[in-house]
Amino acid sequence: MDRGRKRPEVADQLPADKRACSSSEFRPTTADAVAAVSSSSTSSVPPPSSSEHHDCDMESSSSGRGGGDSAYGSCESDDDLHHHQPRAGCGASRGKFQRIISVLDSEDAGPSAQLASLTELCEALSFCMEDSLGYFPMDNALPLLVKLAGSEGNPDVMLLAIRAITYLCDVMPRAADAIVRHGALSVLCGRLLSIEYLDVAEQSLQALEKISRKQPVPCLQAGTIMAVLGFIDFFSTSVQLVETAVTCLMRITSCFSSSTEILDVLCKHGVISKSLHLIAVDGRTTLSQSAFVGLIGLLANLANTSLVAVRTLFELCVSSSLKRILIASGISHGTTYSYPDGVYSNQVHEVLKLLNHMMPSAARDDENIQLVMAKEMILEEKPMFLHQFSADILPVLIEVVKSGANLCVCYGCLSVMINIIYFSTVDMLQDLVKNSNISSFLAGLMARKDRHVLVSALKIVELLMQKFSCVCSSSFIKEGVVYAIEVLLEHENRLESVGLRLDQQDNQIALRDVPRCLCYVFDPPNTSTSERKACRLGKDAVFSLAKHIKDTYFTGESVNCEIGVSEVLKKLKIMCATLNETVDQSSSNDGCAKTEELSQLLGQVMAEINLGEAISSFEFVESGIVRSLVHYLSNGRYLNKSYSDCMSTSHWLAILKRLQIFTGISLSKACQNWEDMLLTLLVRKLLDALTSFDNFPVIVSQFFKSRSSYSDIPSRHSTLHPCLRVRFVREDGELNLSDYSDVVSIEVSSSFVAIEGFLWPKVGASMSGQLQEQKGKDATTTSTAVSSVRCPEVNVPQEPCPNTQHIPSTNFAQVLINQEQQASLEDTSMKLREMMTESSSDPLSSSEGHAKGSESSFPSNKDATPKLIFSMEGREVDRSLTLYQAILQFQINAEPDLVVGPKFWNEVYKVSYRKASQNTTHWQEACCDSPSLIFQEKAGYPWHKLSFISSIFLAELPCKLDKSNPSYELLFMIKILEGLNRFSSYLLSYERCTSLAEGRIENLDDLKVVVPSIPQAEFISCKLTDKLEQQLQDPLTLATGCMPAWCGQLMMACPFLFSFEARWKYFRFTTFGCKGQLNQIQPANISGSSSVIDRRSASVWSYRKKFKVTRSDILGSAAKMMASHAQSRAVIEVEYEEEVGTGLGPTMEFFTLVSHEFQKAGMGMWRGDKCSFNVSQTSQCSDESAFVVAPFGLFPCPWAAASCASDGRQFSDVIKKFSLLGQLVAKAIRDGRILDIPFCSAFYKVILDQELGIYDIQSFDPELGRTLLEFQALSYRKRFLESASSENFEYSSDLCFRSTAIEDLCLDFTLPGYSDYVLSSATNSEMLNIHNLEEYVSLVVDATIKDGISRQVQAFRLGFNEVFPLKSLQIFTEDELERVLCGEQETWTFSELLDHVKFDHGYTASSPPVINLLETIQEFECNERRAFLQFVTGAPRLPPGGLAALNPKLTIVRKLCSYEVDMDLPSVMTCANYLKLPPYSSKEITRERLLYAITEGQGSFHLS
């Protein structure tokens, strides 16, 4: 078969200017039309060779059209026509058209004359509108065009004739009737069915799509459906062509949605089978999201009306495809459902609509009862239909709801579940629910406040009790279903108030700006509008149904329990009460009393938990176990809230002791797998319990559009975002302030600091005296400054809570960066000079300077004293929130499923104010700024600096989450467990040291601790992760950065609850800005990879700047780059001097080369670099290829104060290099580049601003760390013996170091490994002995991880903060930060390579050269694999997520060789990850030539 041109296989991945465009996007110009004629060809065009590719563009050959035409987009839509100015051709006279028609009608006209006339006609029509078309001879022109379209001969004439028909439909839609009358449909369908020429078939499809809009019935009668289906079947890999065919099919079907006969005919013609093929196989890769969702909607419309469709869907097992769609789509991420008619629905909603329409309704009040009965008959005839359908769908629906789906999706899932349960038999139901804890699921639904959800949940309870009450009754009691029903029914005298509440819910339509009730959301689109206003549920539906279930199934005689409380729950409550009482008695004494009794009680409670599945989530929460555990660990402070003695030594020691005991019990099975540990079980119980609560709602914005509005706060300016309307009211009794009654427009992201700055000068004017006037002027000045430094992010408190880490907002950080740009370099240089010259004699001076330096670039206003206190509805507002967040918090309490719509913006909110008190001292500052002496030991570990331990000390989370939130104590306990999981080895090491000191163990080898840790993935809450993902996709959030307060609060207190991918999105969004941040994070691919980080497109939203570098001076080029662009938002693209390559590949290689430069020996930066301190070894390091040997990762080398004086120049260079390194690391993260620099985990902790202790030394120097721990244990032993001895202490053999006296070790007071670093001993000691051992350990630890590296670390942080705030990375762990910065190194299996590598242009997955290549790559060693990645991508590591996250995908194409194939070398295009592989004859030659290329081909970029 001869085709006009070869169809591109990857049109969706081509650059925008190479892809086909839609009909609403492009219309060819005159030149395009001429080019289309001149380039037409009937011969097949072979695929382009690899040599034809240049840079990153992959063009496909085209005939029959020029580059301007598209596969189905030659014409503009009607809406776009008014954009074009009339041209001479637009007003073509009748004479001009008659002349063209006469040429076409002439028998003497040859093909060239016909082509010229058709080209002129297409040009005239392409820019015309209907009112300017003039007198077009329709009856004369159309027969000729149809004749030419159907002629056999010149394909170019056919193409242009059909194109003219298409243009005519576009310009004059009413012409469709005449086109049909003149027989064009049969010709177009024939061209589509025969597909002799690809271009002609495409144009025919486009013409049919235009005609079907006005003439759907004739199109159907002419066989358009069969033609379209045949077109889909033939072009299975065609992207935009298939989409056009699908769109045409959807429109035709939509016209007959109420005609059962016609829809049955369509189904018999294979519409469903073809559609399911697209959905099941590769719909999401072949179709756009809108077309894919529309295809599901098409099936839903068929299932709603046609019994043939329902039977066919069951026969083809559509449930398995829909199950995969729900799982692959992230289940609940489809939360952008819009209630209004005509608004595009999302994927999950369309799937639920299809499921609801396939199943007969359990409610017998359906209008079309005959159709319902007929569907039921199908299930009765074929019971396996229902069984297969239920087995596929029911478990997934439960997960959809549990994962945090929005109200609409939740209701749709429950509707399907009701129908499934209603029509299922008892045996079938028992088989379905045996692996899913449906009782716990229903108990969680009872916490929802929407009555539609409550009624649906109660219906499921009733159906299950009807089916098999004997099985469900006990489960319902244990999981809290009965308890939840009792809560709904308690206090029958409150029925009236319940009715009022339900009446208020009736008004949710107005509050949400929703035109119809949930009862009608999944109804067919032809439901009358008037019916949608009345809810089908009665006002007392919840109460009536709950009372009916209680009276029927759970009476006192049938259920032996008290208000649904099981015996296990009663037992747990008694145990927890006893534990709480004992804790209170202990804390009232000295904090350490009754230790043994408490340990026994704790063991009993933990043993009860360890029964595993015997305790349900309801019993776990309701018993108070979590509250009791937190109370125990906080030494009785959590429930009593008594902080008077939180500074006492006994309080701190009691907490540490209890942590050790709790850790020992939790890790009681540590010798086994981590899955068997009690700690793992406790984490899972807590996460299950957290899932049952729904206290963190996703706020969906309705009808949001960016539009210009005017705001009074801040700074009186125009904004594209909606504004909140607020009336400020002075509180009653406030006499020192004035009234201010005007309604003020406030920008949605404004903070209360900015509001105070606006309001204070106006309401403080009543205070008399010159001093008050002056204060008012100062306040005005302050307000201006505050207004200019706004924080639009919802998670950025203006007054940070002490001991909490706040993530700076995008705009706030950017404003501060912009303000610093003028003097940043001078300021940084001054601070670096101070670090180079400052004295380190005072042990605390460096650490103080370090703390100041880390904050200098981003000042905080936590010391600012508030002038006003704001309140809403009688409750004081948290000043750390934005006004938008504060309003949301108050409204969410009344309406959890709040939707931000027009009513939200039109409302005038009342905010009260009063004068603030000047006494703002916080007890937390006094408590935590003065730790006990045990934490001031430099040789010890800074326990109080660990976030989870400081939370226990303070008995609260490090955020301002409302403590009345039911999830608060669950979050508190999960945070403690996550901290214990990460630092359990430290706690147990400390316990071993004290045990050796007290003589419980004697061997130093027993100090070693090996504890299995739970993977961090076990702490992830899927529900909260999904909710955060949903919130980040909301239009208002994307436009303004405004999110509910819980997003920032949870990210601050418990970031581990969110997946790494979700936190990465949150980090990019809140740190670098709203616009475009989420677009750069690609969703998980279809193959199931969880990676969402697209490092290669990390900056598609930003503008780019090219920077030339010198390959011979990489480090100098890097310094120049950072000096010019460190604070720039532009993405840097590198170009090497005297090389032609530029773009992604050279840039990735540059960052790799810079990474290697920092690892070279002789720079004095890292431990293990002996060249910097030993002159005799300097010559050995002269080789530029010498690198620092750091098998455990790079860690800063300690520098003493004396080194600064004697060799100040060298140390100043070190400081500058650390500053440059900080800039480069930050820039790499910002621009999405990968570094190849192996920092150790301790240095990542330093980057994250975590305090290091003695236990961290083992991570980079295991021998030194182990020895110091043993020395410390001996010093503890000495101290213990001294305190226990009533007489003068004498030396004991117990104080020997491995049978050797300390004095015999002959150690002096210099830092091990650094003989020039003299330790400053307070006792002027020169040699080590047992008496100064403790001092020696303290000095070594201080020199190694504190004062010795403080100035280097401070320089690194100063450099980093010039790019973006370092604190924004604190939501990641050190391991995750390494993934962010350095990507991943992984081994590849053959199947993984097949899944994530693309083969094109001459190669397929089964091509022998490809198989040889993949086998060769799979067998590569680590160094060879790194070299291969460097050769292909420019970086030796893959981005986070591995091969699946590489974008563009690694593509293998055939390289055409002009000489002997086996002598040629492979070449690459690093910008596209494009490997051109010659077809080598064997695997051995493939390996040889590939290794030669990746070894010798490094170091330059040229055209390939």
Side-chain angles (χ1 to χ4, degrees), residues 149 366 652 691 914 1166 1488:
D366 194 285
W652 296 65
T691 302
R914 71 176 188 272
W1166 311 112
E1488 176 190 347

Side-chain angles (χ1 to χ4, degrees), residues 690-706:
L690 187 63
T691 302
S692 65
F693 290 102
D694 194 31
N695 306 113
F696 306 107
V698 177
I699 305 301
V700 179
S701 58
Q702 199 76 33
F703 309 111
F704 173 78
K705 287 185 178 181
S706 295

Side-chain angles (χ1 to χ4, degrees), residues 1408-1437:
V1410 167
I1411 295 176
N1412 291 336
L1413 174 68
L1414 297 186
E1415 290 178 351
T1416 299
I1417 295 174
Q1418 181 191 358
E1419 296 168 359
F1420 275 167
E1421 299 294 334
C1422 180
N1423 291 335
E1424 294 172 334
R1425 191 162 54 249
R1426 284 171 52 87
F1428 173 75
L1429 289 174
Q1430 176 84 42
F1431 178 65
V1432 177
T1433 69
R1437 299 191 182 198

Side-chain angles (χ1 to χ4, degrees), residues 234 267 387 428 545 579 598 657 693 757 774 871 900 923 996 1022 1040 1116 1157 1175 1288 1467:
F234 185 83
C267 296
H387 187 273
M428 189 184 301
L545 185 54
L579 179 60
L598 281 172
K657 184 63 177 178
F693 290 102
Q774 183 61 37
S871 59
V900 177
W923 67 266
L996 188 141
C1022 296
T1040 66
E1157 288 293 320
V1175 179
N1288 292 334
S1467 58

Side-chain angles (χ1 to χ4, degrees), residues 48-184:
S49 66
S50 58
S51 61
E52 294 172 347
H53 292 280
H54 178 73
D55 215 1
C56 299
D57 295 337
M58 292 176 284
E59 302 182 19
S60 59
S61 300
S62 177
S63 66
R65 74 179 71 182
D69 270 332
S70 68
Y72 74 110
S74 301
C75 303
E76 281 184 317
S77 64
D78 299 332
D79 296 336
D80 294 332
L81 290 171
H82 66 278
H83 292 296
H84 297 282
Q85 298 297 326
R87 298 174 53 188
C90 292
S93 63
R94 178 184 301 181
K96 179 178 181 180
F97 283 120
Q98 290 289 0
R99 176 176 52 81
I100 295 175
I101 298 304
S102 63
V103 174
L104 296 177
D105 192 30
S106 174
E107 296 181 358
D108 299 331
S112 58
Q114 290 177 336
L115 283 175
S117 297
L118 287 172
T119 300
E120 186 179 2
L121 178 61
C122 289
E123 179 183 355
L125 293 174
S126 63
F127 294 122
C128 287
M129 291 179 283
E130 187 170 5
D131 56 355
S132 61
L133 190 58
Y135 298 95
F136 184 78
M138 192 81 65
D139 292 335
N140 294 332
L142 283 177
L144 291 174
L145 293 176
V146 172
K147 177 182 176 182
L148 293 174
S151 63
E152 298 294 338
N154 194 324
D156 298 332
V157 173
M158 301 181 210
L159 177 66
L160 291 178
I162 299 173
R163 184 171 295 167
I165 294 174
T166 307
Y167 288 178
L168 189 59
C169 288
D170 212 8
V171 176
M172 191 182 296
R174 57 187 174 85
D177 178 63
I179 293 173
V180 171
R181 283 190 288 103
H182 287 90

Side-chain angles (χ1 to χ4, degrees), residues 489-591:
L489 295 176
E490 69 178 357
H491 307 302
E492 189 173 350
N493 57 0
R494 298 177 57 189
L495 177 60
E496 181 177 354
S497 64
V498 173
L500 290 175
R501 179 176 62 82
L502 294 175
D503 283 342
Q504 291 173 357
Q505 288 207 356
D506 280 338
N507 293 329
Q508 284 184 356
I509 294 177
L511 291 175
R512 296 182 187 156
D513 307 291
V514 176
R516 57 174 167 169
C517 175
L518 277 178
C519 298
Y520 302 93
V521 165
F522 294 96
D523 277 9
N526 56 355
T527 305
S528 61
T529 306
S530 60
E531 294 177 337
R532 297 175 184 171
K533 294 182 179 179
C535 181
R536 291 170 178 168
L537 300 179
K539 294 181 179 180
D540 59 346
V542 176
F543 180 83
S544 300
L545 185 54
K547 191 173 188 306
H548 168 72
I549 294 173
K550 170 70 166 48
D551 294 342
T552 306
Y553 303 104
F554 300 106
T555 60
E557 295 77 13
S558 61
V559 179
N560 186 19
C561 67
E562 179 185 357
I563 319 180
V565 177
S566 63
E567 293 298 327
V568 175
L569 180 54
K570 293 179 181 179
K571 180 181 178 181
L572 289 173
K573 284 187 173 182
I574 294 173
M575 295 176 65
C576 292
T578 305
L579 179 60
N580 292 338
E581 182 181 357
T582 309
V583 169
D584 292 337
Q585 293 174 0
S586 173
S587 59
S588 63
N589 297 323
D590 61 355

Side-chain angles (χ1 to χ4, degrees), residues 19 107 201 220 348 566 673 684 815 849 950 986 1135 1307:
R19 289 199 302 261
E107 296 181 358
L220 183 64
V348 175
S566 63
N673 193 294
R684 291 174 177 173
V815 167
S950 64
Y986 292 7
E1135 180 180 356
L1307 294 176

